[in-house]
Amino acid sequence: TLSPSSKERTKDYADEIMEFLNENGGSMPYNDKTPADEITRIFSCSKRDFKKALGSLYKRHLITIGDDGVKIV
């Protein structure tokens, strides 16, 4: 198969999210409640992949997720 596996996509999107956070002062106003079209526009991924990447980062204690967005720990 030519497309990356789900685990690879999650890791890639998690890396992109961390890069985005680092470039924006360690926080962003987007979280798992952000509309799908906005996530697609900003991160070029589906909301499902975005949520999986956030979950991966959260489980590794790299971010906190709040009502106002996501922050690096």
Side-chain angles (χ1 to χ4, degrees):
T1 177
L2 297 175
S3 62
S5 71
S6 177
K7 278 187 175 182
E8 289 173 353
R9 275 198 327 266
T10 299
K11 183 187 177 316
D12 290 344
Y13 290 133
D15 292 344
E16 286 181 35
I17 291 169
M18 285 303 292
E19 185 176 326
F20 185 89
L21 286 166
N22 285 320
E23 291 173 355
N24 291 282
S27 66
M28 66 180 179
Y30 314 109
N31 60 20
D32 57 339
K33 293 175 179 53
T34 302
D37 59 334
E38 193 169 350
I39 289 170
T40 301
R41 182 175 53 80
I42 295 162
F43 296 100
S44 301
C45 71
S46 69
K47 184 168 181 172
R48 179 178 183 227
D49 286 338
F50 178 77
K51 288 174 71 171
K52 286 173 84 173
L54 283 183
S56 169
L57 293 169
Y58 182 77
K59 286 177 186 175
R60 292 174 15 213
H61 306 285
L62 297 174
I63 62 168
T64 58
I65 303 170
D67 291 335
D68 58 342
V70 174
K71 294 179 183 166
I72 293 177
V73 175

